[in-house]
Amino acid sequence: MEMKLYNTMTKKKEEFVPVEPGKVKMYVCGPTVYNFIHIGNARPMIVFDTVRRYMEHKGYEVNYVSNFTDVDDKIIAKAIEEGVSAREISERYIKECKKDMADMNVKPATTHPLATEEIDGMIEMISELIRKGYAYDVNGTVYFRTKKFKEYGKLSHKNLDDLRSGNRSLLVSGEDQKEDPLDFVLWKPKKEGEPFWVSPWSEGRPGWHIECSVMAKKYLGEEIDIHAGGEDLIFPHHENEIAQSECCNEKPFARYWLHNGFLNIDNKKMSKSLGNFFTVREIADKYDLQVLRFFMLSAHYRSPLNFSAELMEASKNGLERIINGVDHLKHLIGAAQEKEMTEEEKKHIEEMNGLAAKFDDAMDDDFNTADAVSAIFEIIKLANTTASSDSAKSYLQALKDKTAELSDILGLIVEKEEEMLDEEIEQMIEARQAARKARDFQKADEIRNALLAKGIILEDTREGVKWKRA
Ligand code: AMP
Ligand code: ZN
């Protein structure tokens, strides 16, 4: 079946036809890095990683680009608060974000560009927009001239006149140098103490929207297949990206615009001031982040999703049902006989293949991960009711492999890691001691972390290194 995805631009499910056959060029707006990521930020990471994995399963070669916004007012404010450089803040939280991503089994992007490393490209695109009459400089601030782009508003389907009158008050509050209330900043002069770059207009820094237009063009090309992010980005961020890119490149920017719904907590908007705000790291204290991933995939990506303790417990149980099913099959396989499948087993394999087709149908229908998960549950049910110590080995293996394969498309790890043997642990501790002796503390830390990842906790005592299983 062909793949259909819901395009925010046309408000319809459309058949996926890539710009270049067999290839997918995909851009997902990434986080602003001034803190640990919160569980709302985790939603686009997980759902669009799943889109990528499914596309790869379909045989596409996916070029996946996701940026880190590493220059921004919030980063600067945090740097001032801590008395360190903005760079120190952004580098710290990019590292922490990548750790959370790995723990959620989100694949690293093909490229993770940083805004601060793409300033030249931004200056170039802004210059081109000025040359073409789509942007203007007022005392060192450059604005995009929204009235000149006739299609402005086509993504968000907003009534621009209403917006203009609604935003007119902004003009009074210091932005009265703009020609139009909807014009937005491409470049702004620095304030005292802020990081800055030299440009033809002022010593300053870029506005937020221009970075994505520039990075998408540099790493994916002028016309891309999929552009994605949370639904709060539709306006103004993505609308402005379209304006910049299409006016500069004179080509349609992205074919399909995908937006995830918002994550709420106990049916309320997540916010620091309401005290219902969780970082991914806080969730990791209590749960394996695979559970968070499973939870995110239990709803359709475009629907609002409510987070609560009960729903997390239900997700933990759901994921365990699959893991235990696979574990049971593994044990049976260990003792099973190599023999022909019975006619009945062959029929069950057909049933299993039918469920795998159901999985694909669900995913082809705008990535219905909830139904895809149900198809996996049905395979587990088939296994639980038909597999036994009498089953043919090939039958058990087929059930286990199919469950693992489909789970992997959703980015769910369902095979329990083999426990480390005492002997292996002791060898690694010795290697760590040797690294420390050689003053290679980085290597020593790496070994310690590798052990920790396998649930082995080290304790340095006067009598030497002691270890225990978590
Ligand atoms: P930000 O760092 O705020 O630019 O957000 C990074 C990404 O997370 C964007 O795609 C946002 O749309 C998305 N996002 C932020 N908060 C939520 C939320 N509560 N639910 C779902 N997505 C969110
Ligand atoms: Zn963006």
Side-chain angles (χ1 to χ4, degrees), residues 29-32 38 40-41 43-44 208 229-233 260-263 270:
C29 296
T32 305
H38 58 66
N41 301 138
R43 192 171 188 197
W208 169 37
E231 65 185 6
D232 58 322
L233 301 186
N260 65 271
F262 252 46
L263 181 90
M270 178 164 68

Side-chain angles (χ1 to χ4, degrees), residues 295-428:
F295 162 75
M296 297 278 183
L297 298 178
S298 63
H300 193 274
Y301 76 92
R302 280 190 287 121
S303 309
L305 175 58
N306 190 44
F307 180 93
S308 70
E310 296 85 72
L311 289 170
M312 278 299 279
E313 279 303 308
S315 299
K316 183 167 176 254
N317 293 336
L319 184 61
E320 268 170 13
R321 189 144 38 113
I322 304 175
I323 293 175
N324 291 340
V326 170
D327 207 40
H328 182 55
L329 286 169
K330 245 167 126 171
H331 279 110
L332 291 176
I333 290 165
Q337 291 176 43
E338 308 263 4
K339 58 181 180 187
E340 266 272 319
M341 274 192 229
T342 62
E343 286 311 307
E344 213 181 343
E345 284 175 338
K346 285 184 193 157
K347 263 205 339 247
H348 290 323
I349 291 292
E350 266 174 44
E351 207 179 313
M352 178 193 84
N353 288 334
L355 292 168
K358 222 167 124 182
F359 176 100
D360 272 34
D361 287 349
M363 292 298 280
D364 282 338
D365 182 17
D366 193 31
F367 312 104
N368 189 336
T369 51
D371 283 3
V373 168
S374 300
I376 299 180
F377 277 147
E378 286 186 60
I379 296 179
I380 289 296
K381 196 166 140 203
L382 181 69
N384 289 345
T385 50
T386 62
S388 75
S389 50
D390 265 352
S391 307
K393 194 172 191 172
S394 55
Y395 175 65
L396 301 168
Q397 192 72 44
L399 282 170
K400 180 188 152 269
D401 289 351
K402 189 54 82 185
T403 309
E405 181 200 333
L406 300 184
S407 302
D408 183 58
I409 295 171
L410 300 180
L412 297 169
I413 301 167
V414 293
E415 292 200 50
K416 276 190 192 159
E417 277 203 40
E418 300 288 339
E419 266 206 352
M420 281 185 90
L421 300 172
D422 289 8
E423 203 181 312
E424 286 177 278
I425 297 168
E426 268 142 31
Q427 274 169 7
M428 280 179 76

Side-chain angles (χ1 to χ4, degrees), residues 26-29 63-67 109-113 215 219-220:
M26 180 164 179
Y27 187 95
V28 181
C29 296
N63 188 347
Y64 190 100
V65 177
S66 191
N67 63 311
T110 315
T111 315
H112 277 292
M215 293 167 178
Y219 296 100
L220 296 171

